[in-house]
Amino acid sequence: MKAVVLHAPHDLRFDDIAPAPAPGPGEVQIAVSHGGICGSDLHYYHHGGFGTVRVREPMALGHEVSGTITALGAGVTGLTEGDLVAVNPSRPCGHCDYCRKGLAHHCLDMRFNGSAMRFPHEQGLFRAAVTLPAAQAVRLPAGTDLALAAMSEPLAVCLHAVAGAGSLIGRRVLVSGCGPIGCLTILAARAAGAEEIIATDIAAPALAGARAVGADTVLDLAGDADALAPYAEAKGQIDVAFECSGAPPAILAALKVLRPQGLLVAVGLGPEVTLPVTALVAREIRMQGSFRFDAEFATAARAIASGRIDVSPLLTRVLPVAEATDAFDLASDKSRAMKVQIAFPSP
Ligand code: ZN
């Protein structure tokens, strides 16, 4: 069967690999339909990894996929052949301290599809078929758009970030960095009751995406670096800032506009940054990180399937999987692309 396999930086192949094994007890087999290309896939594609994490053997990429159940192992309940599913790429161990304390996304023995952190690598989901524990498959209603359902994973990241911020009802929110994660954070913040959402970026498709998902004010910081200045008046006007770019200037800009006791949620990853501690202390600014997700995955899948959260404005293009390299190149071009997906032919 076919898979999108990275052999080395810029050496992405549409390989023949061994068929997915028959599902064992508690497992399901899924024919993969759509797969979204994420920033981490692009890091592997361009650089062979990030930080100390390197691809050291051929690795199928991808962790944002949807598909159809094609076989069930013994003892699987709640799923049947033909069910549409969103695939959760994270597989916590279930018995370490963090798993037992309800913090499974901090599992000490986490497996995450399409990650080179472990060796052998945890193979990604851009494979024609995958066999996985049934717990990784979230059932969707018949007729669900599988392209949209493949955005469950990034939406889950954003639901987790928003859930960590406390109540947003009536709040004025800033979202900086409006790639897919920023735009999905805008949708998640609105669903959580944010009253006013201000979005910033420097790239045209990101700014257009922020408008398309309903940000109230969209500021182009490339055109006007001081566009946020009015929000810094009177010690700050923003209640909660979701920093989704990871860019040091964006983090510092967000800290400037937070009101006293405001909250910065750091979602994006980037270079280290020196923080203005005096300002943090004097205005009692709070900062917290947000990483991955847990139960939010199923919530995200259901919100997409029901249409309660409409992620369709973010889908730039779906390319046939045989054109995966073109899809990765398009996804790499922030001047043209928001979310690019590959699609496997129907089994
Ligand atoms: Zn664990």
Side-chain angles (χ1 to χ4, degrees):
M1 68 173 191
K2 292 289 193 179
V4 177
V5 179
L6 187 74
H7 289 257
H10 292 280
D11 182 4
L12 192 66
R13 303 183 200 168
F14 189 41
D15 277 348
D16 273 310
I17 63 168
E27 292 183 331
V28 294
Q29 190 170 98
I30 298 163
V32 172
S33 168
H34 287 71
I37 298 168
C38 165
S40 67
D41 296 314
L42 293 174
H43 270 286
Y44 286 123
Y45 175 58
H46 290 290
H47 312 297
F50 40 85
T52 56
V53 177
R54 297 284 124 190
V55 172
R56 289 180 283 154
E57 62 175 341
M59 182 175 83
L61 294 179
H63 58 268
E64 301 180 0
V65 313
S66 58
T68 305
I69 300 274
T70 51
L72 301 172
V76 174
T77 56
L79 291 165
T80 52
E81 274 182 44
D83 278 348
L84 307 183
V85 292
V87 181
N88 184 339
S90 58
R91 181 153 42 107
C93 77
H95 51 75
C96 73
D97 259 9
Y98 293 109
C99 282
R100 284 191 280 116
K101 286 174 179 157
L103 291 170
H105 62 297
H106 288 293
C107 174
L108 295 170
D109 194 22
M110 176 68 91
R111 292 173 184 278
F112 195 88
N113 288 113
S115 166
M117 279 190 190
R118 306 172 71 111
F119 190 86
H121 300 333
E122 202 62 34
Q123 292 291 316
L125 300 172
F126 291 171
R127 289 177 270 164
V130 292
T131 299
L132 298 168
Q136 286 183 249
V138 173
R139 187 173 178 273
L140 305 166
T144 298
D145 182 325
L146 287 177
L148 303 185
M151 277 192 255
S152 297
E153 195 269 350
L155 178 59
V157 169
C158 303
L159 292 179
H160 184 71
V162 165
S167 173
L168 293 183
I169 293 170
R171 301 293 187 192
R172 179 184 281 157
V173 167
L174 171 70
V175 176
S176 53
C178 296
I181 291 294
C183 285
L184 292 168
T185 297
I186 291 170
L187 288 167
R190 184 73 80 197
E195 186 162 310
E196 182 181 354
I197 301 177
I198 296 122
T200 63
D201 205 290
I202 53 174
L207 295 163
R211 281 183 208 101
V213 295
D216 298 292
T217 304
V218 178
L219 302 175
D220 176 1
L221 298 184
D224 177 5
D226 293 327
L228 270 174
Y231 296 96
E233 285 173 12
K235 290 194 174 185
Q237 305 282 313
I238 301 291
D239 296 303
V240 180
F242 294 95
E243 208 305 296
C244 300
S245 73
I251 296 167
L252 297 175
L255 290 172
K256 268 190 193 159
V257 298
L258 281 171
R259 63 157 174 77
Q261 299 191 344
L263 172 67
L264 178 85
V265 182
V267 186
L269 284 169
E272 299 302 331
V273 56
T274 302
L275 293 174
V277 175
T278 305
L280 295 182
V281 170
R283 293 189 356 262
E284 301 188 319
I285 300 296
R286 296 171 296 142
M287 275 188 83
Q288 66 187 41
S290 184
F291 189 58
R292 290 185 176 166
F293 52 83
D294 189 15
E296 293 92 350
F297 185 89
T299 306
R302 288 193 295 265
I304 290 172
S306 70
R308 276 184 290 119
I309 294 185
D310 178 12
V311 298
S312 62
L314 303 184
L315 189 56
T316 303
R317 210 171 143 200
V318 181
L319 281 86
V321 64
E323 297 169 27
T325 297
D326 290 341
F328 272 70
D329 288 336
L330 174 59
S332 304
D333 184 351
K334 300 299 171 217
S335 72
R336 291 194 294 151
M338 181 65 79
K339 178 60 74 181
V340 178
Q341 293 184 344
I342 53 167
F344 282 88
S346 299

